[in-house]
Amino acid sequence: EPEVTQTPSHQVTQMGQEVILRCVPISNHLYFYWYRQILGQKVEFLVSFYNNEISEKSEIFDDQFSVERPDGSNFTLKIRSTKLEDSAMYFCASRLSGGTDTQYFGPGTRLTVL
Amino acid sequence: KQEVTQIPAALSVPEGENLVLNCSFTDSAIYNLQWFRQDPGKGLTSLLLIQSSQREQTSGRLNASLDKSSGRSTLYIAASQPGDSATYLCAVKGLGSSGGYQKVTFGTGTKLQVIP
């Protein structure tokens, strides 16, 4: 069964460094999402992406964040200058366009900012 | 601003019991509601999705209902098993600031433990 994959599974970085989290959505999906979950807290929506542009973003998704679909398979989340409070699990999700609206989630990347 | 609350926060039941998890949301202008399970340290697995025009969805031992006007959804699990132990999340898709229905708001979750 097709699945969403994410790399790396765990990323440790120093405060102020840039990180790129990578996701490979399910191949025929057209909508892509990033979420984060700070330890012990709710899953929070960051951004949705469709047709090579951001379709919606939350107040969390400020100028420090950017997303990109650099090729036909990858979907990336970049954090330009990481802060301690960016430490969280980051989940990527994808879904088909039209039809079922079910989102399929990847296993997540745990980001630790020191 | 949409707020999604789940009650109870934690639940422990003996194997075989039927149980109900609750989800409430403050803004009834939703596009759909989705139930997920999350296992420790893992991603989210979709269980059921209910469109705003639907009243319920069923999959195996799971049944989810939606009462949009009152801002409530329930997830019913029949004949619970130890393998059902996980955190259950509901997520509401609603209107975002861009004018489209792409913003998803998650609930606080219910941590379920099914005791053999």
Side-chain angles (χ1 to χ4, degrees):
Chain A
E1 185 177 322
E3 57 184 21
V4 176
T5 59
Q6 290 185 244
T7 54
S9 57
H10 191 191
Q11 172 93 45
V12 180
T13 190
Q14 296 291 324
M15 191 169 55
Q17 294 296 304
E18 175 184 285
V19 293
I20 297 175
L21 309 184
R22 290 183 167 80
C23 168
V24 179
I26 295 173
S27 63
N28 60 340
H29 286 190
L30 297 177
Y31 282 87
F32 314 113
Y33 304 84
W34 282 102
Y35 297 86
R36 78 172 186 190
Q37 187 176 32
I38 295 170
L39 189 63
Q41 297 187 24
K42 286 189 187 187
V43 176
E44 298 173 292
F45 169 79
L46 292 178
V47 66
S48 62
F49 190 86
Y50 172 71
N51 200 26
N52 282 320
E53 61 182 26
I54 290 173
S55 50
E56 184 68 49
K57 61 182 181 178
S58 72
E59 53 277 2
I60 301 168
F61 194 88
D62 61 21
D63 292 343
Q64 290 299 312
F65 292 89
S66 62
V67 289
E68 194 178 29
R69 188 153 164 82
D71 53 43
S73 59
N74 289 283
F75 179 52
T76 61
L77 174 70
K78 182 193 289 186
I79 309 174
R80 277 183 244 292
S81 177
T82 49
K83 307 184 189 72
L84 295 176
E85 54 265 37
D86 293 327
S87 295
M89 184 75 97
Y90 288 80
F91 294 107
C92 171
S94 69
R95 70 171 179 90
L96 286 164
S97 173
T100 177
D101 203 35
T102 299
Q103 291 190 32
Y104 295 86
F105 278 70
T109 292
R110 179 162 298 286
L111 176 64
T112 301
V113 182
L114 302 176
Chain B
K1 181 184 172 185
Q2 180 74 273
E3 298 284 344
V4 182
T5 306
Q6 292 185 244
I7 294 172
L11 183 63
S12 184
V13 300
E15 182 177 0
E17 265 203 15
N18 303 324
L19 57 101
V20 175
L21 308 181
N22 297 290
C23 171
S24 60
F25 46 95
T26 54
D27 184 350
S28 62
I30 66 169
Y31 185 74
N32 63 40
L33 184 147
Q34 194 164 358
W35 283 93
F36 295 89
R37 70 174 277 168
Q38 184 175 28
D39 294 281
K42 302 275 184 69
L44 281 67
T45 303
S46 177
L47 298 173
L48 289 164
L49 182 143
I50 313 177
Q51 300 291 356
S52 62
S53 57
Q54 297 175 322
R55 298 283 293 182
E56 66 178 324
Q57 283 287 332
T58 298
S59 175
R61 295 183 293 109
L62 305 179
N63 175 276
S65 67
L66 175 64
D67 183 343
K68 201 173 73 157
S69 60
S70 66
R72 288 187 296 188
S73 176
T74 61
L75 178 67
Y76 175 83
I77 303 176
S80 58
Q81 302 170 358
D84 295 330
S85 298
T87 296
Y88 289 79
L89 304 174
C90 69
V92 169
K93 180 176 278 191
L95 202 59
S97 56
S98 66
Y101 282 92
Q102 291 299 329
K103 183 168 183 181
V104 178
T105 305
F106 276 81
T108 45
T110 294
K111 187 172 183 179
L112 172 66
Q113 182 182 26
V114 180
I115 303 164

